[in-house]
Amino acid sequence: MRVNGKNYHAVWMRENTVRMVDQLALPFRFRIKKSDSWEESAQAISDMTVRGAGTIGATAAFAVLQALLASSQKNYVKNCTHAVREIKKTRPTANDLFYAADSMLEEINKSSSFSGARQNAEKKARWIFESYLESGEKIGLHGNALLRKNACVLTHCNAGWLALVDWGSATAPIYAASRTGKKPFVFVDETRPRLQGAKLTAWELAQEKIAHCVIADNAAGHFMQKGEIDIVITGADRIAMNGDTANKIGTYEKSVLARENGIPFYIAAPLSTFDTHTESGKEIIIEERSQSEVLRVFGRGKHHTGEVEIYSKKSPAKNPAFDVTPAKYITGFITPKGIIKPKESEIRGLFK
Amino acid sequence: MRVNGKNYHAVWMRENTVRMVDQLALPFRFRIKKSDSWEESAQAISDMTVRGAGTIGATAAFAVLQALLASSQKNYVKNCTHAVREIKKTRPTANDLFYAADSMLEEINKSSSFSGARQNAEKKARWIFESYLESGEKIGLHGNALLRKNACVLTHCNAGWLALVDWGSATAPIYAASRTGKKPFVFVDETRPRLQGAKLTAWELAQEKIAHCVIADNAAGHFMQKGEIDIVITGADRIAMNGDTANKIGTYEKSVLARENGIPFYIAAPLSTFDTHTESGKEIIIEERSQSEVLRVFGRGKHHTGEVEIYSKKSPAKNPAFDVTPAKYITGFITPKGIIKPKESEIRGLFK
């Protein structure tokens, strides 16, 4: 998608160098970070320079390729095995991270020669990268059909192109609608505590010149009640086989409010988000993150850009990172293979 | 209530001086601001040094008294009339402000002499001040009956003692429960955009040594879903005769989520919050406040305490200050006269 009028991907690789949009610097600075080694690329995943399932997956694939390209013929299997082990430690719950790193290693292991391994690994990394691009584009194609002209869409957190190499999941239908002249308008939940809606989604939309506004998470229900929102589209972190969906904290609230107000509520996701090993939301453990994410916000002051404490440290916080939206509140899933109902039979059908 | 172990009111008057807890400095500094003239007291209302219906009402009454005490016998009616007019301009929608200022002026006008006016006005200001104290205490008494031992209460925004001279409205049942040994636990919605939950309610509770935690507004639904919340109690800005209630943005969201999860949802309010001139929520106009409240947060940094921008100014915001919770989501109103259902007959009964 566009930044300052030029097209970018969230991460890409040329020669031995991985380049990525530094998501920690956004929205205050747009900066491309370079990584010349698998260690640096792994570090970029763990320190959240890159984030989002697809972008993490592509970065992990590139990192394994970097490990291979930096190896001598003698040690390449050992080196790559070690690198994959380390890369998989960078984030605890990102399914795409494990999938990308493991399938790169598999490719390397099954090759009969060093040069064959290099060729196959390069092809595999390219394929992983492009499959994320294609997922986003197809989600956009299918999701666009749900949006009328001038549709008002509510979204939560950032399931944008920054998170899926390009197009995004929740944003893909919006970008597709914009490019087909529908002029969508987007209500962007700021998404406390980490504010990925305000910091990333709003920035993406501004760069793509799509009309939008940032709202306090508290205001979404009010705009639904007033009839100003036509459809809600969010991404997902993990989707169970019965349709229950784990996503950023607050998604459950929006789903209940959407149903109460008769507004369709869709989850947009690539196939890698559907977890065939999880039967229902009951099995999903919710990560409790640091209290300091609630206590502190990152912002730009007159004199200083950094974190400020917004209340007294004497008060503790609770900070569940995700919640589970039961399938009954979900109108449908927008997938690269089309739009499906939140039913086990339809979800399993995606994998046939 | 207690601050650093000592008892305070949000505002009080001794001799000709009004003293108030500076709510702009909280929670980072606890500071008592002194005002020696009606102009300074009016300024404290308009710049939000004091806020909350009852605290504004009491401050306004004291300000009119200051105007009278500063007047000569010759001009006192003219001076007080002028002061009341100016005081009523300080905040646009605070019903208690108009009520307090007008009833002080009425008292002055109906007195037959200067000394009589001083006596009656002093008595009236005292009565207004004490009626807020008494309202809070009685709300606490009635609301306490709704809380079991170790009850987990969710509250939104600050309807605490800072807002009602003492006790508060939504907090009064919690303080009462705590003082009767029930050890309540409070989930405090941080309440974006202005964060009055995190900045004021959490501070009040910490000072009263009541167990609590701050949560992102997004997390309230999750804790309801998990069965961790027994009851929701919020305050109100205005209650229509059919029970529809305007309160801080986000209240509507919590009410829908509470009903969906079978959790009782109560509004605690003094009688002055019930607006006998408003039939239903449809008549309530929602104030749209400055975009900068969403864009900026006030916090304490390592080097500087002040405002920071949390996202790019290129993105606009929408900032409705209040929303309307339809009566059907409200279990009951906790009033100084007892707990009533959200029905017109019961609401009108309060005024008989």
Side-chain angles (χ1 to χ4, degrees), chain B residues 135-342:
Chain B
S135 283
E137 197 172 355
K138 286 194 176 160
I139 289 170
L141 192 73
H142 296 301
N144 188 5
L146 298 171
L147 305 187
R148 63 165 179 83
K149 201 157 193 283
N150 303 120
C152 287
V153 185
L154 172 73
T155 191
H156 191 70
C157 199
N158 178 258
W161 69 265
L162 290 166
L164 194 69
V165 184
D166 204 358
W167 291 92
S169 49
T171 56
I174 297 164
Y175 291 134
S178 173
R179 289 176 183 207
T180 50
K182 289 184 182 170
K183 297 189 187 302
F185 181 89
V186 186
F187 285 85
V188 180
D189 273 353
E190 62 175 358
T191 318
R192 279 279 291 153
R194 289 177 64 97
L195 295 162
Q196 297 97 328
K199 287 189 195 296
L200 303 177
T201 304
W203 177 84
E204 283 191 15
L205 294 169
Q207 291 293 340
E208 278 284 322
K209 302 196 191 308
I210 292 173
H212 68 285
C213 68
V214 177
I215 57 172
D217 303 303
N218 280 323
H222 172 71
F223 288 112
M224 290 192 205
Q225 194 189 26
K226 290 275 165 195
E228 295 190 30
I229 290 169
D230 298 313
I231 184 171
V232 185
I233 310 178
T234 78
D237 283 86
R238 203 195 299 188
I239 301 168
M241 285 300 104
N242 73 342
D244 293 352
T245 297
N247 191 41
K248 184 63 54 194
I249 190 74
T251 305
Y252 164 67
E253 294 199 352
K254 303 316 154 197
S255 75
V256 171
L257 286 154
R259 202 184 64 170
E260 191 69 13
N261 287 286
I263 297 166
F265 181 91
Y266 284 90
I267 301 274
L271 295 194
S272 56
T273 306
F274 292 86
D275 182 352
T276 52
H277 300 107
T278 300
E279 279 307 312
S280 88
K282 287 193 192 107
E283 297 164 38
I284 300 175
I285 293 161
I286 300 298
E287 183 189 358
E288 174 85 18
R289 290 179 56 90
S290 162
Q291 296 186 34
S292 96
E293 290 186 350
V294 182
L295 175 64
R296 298 193 177 92
V297 299
F298 186 92
R300 177 163 62 179
K302 264 187 194 155
H303 307 291
H304 183 67
T305 295
E307 283 188 337
V308 294
E309 291 176 359
I310 56 174
Y311 58 89
S312 162
K313 261 187 291 203
K314 282 180 194 156
S315 291
K318 284 187 199 271
N319 184 22
F322 306 103
D323 58 25
V324 174
T325 299
K328 67 175 175 177
Y329 298 108
I330 299 168
T331 311
F333 294 106
I334 311 171
T335 81
K337 290 195 172 179
I339 295 165
I340 62 165
K341 293 270 164 218

Side-chain angles (χ1 to χ4, degrees), chain B residues 65 68 73 76-77 80 103-124:
Chain B
L65 182 58
L68 177 63
Q73 182 161 4
Y76 80 92
V77 172
C80 290
S103 55
M104 286 294 292
L105 189 59
E106 198 184 312
E107 208 63 40
I108 291 164
N109 282 336
K110 82 177 183 201
S111 304
S112 52
S113 69
F114 182 49
S115 67
R118 287 174 67 135
Q119 234 169 17
N120 291 339
E122 237 164 277
K123 217 166 114 190
K124 186 73 182 180

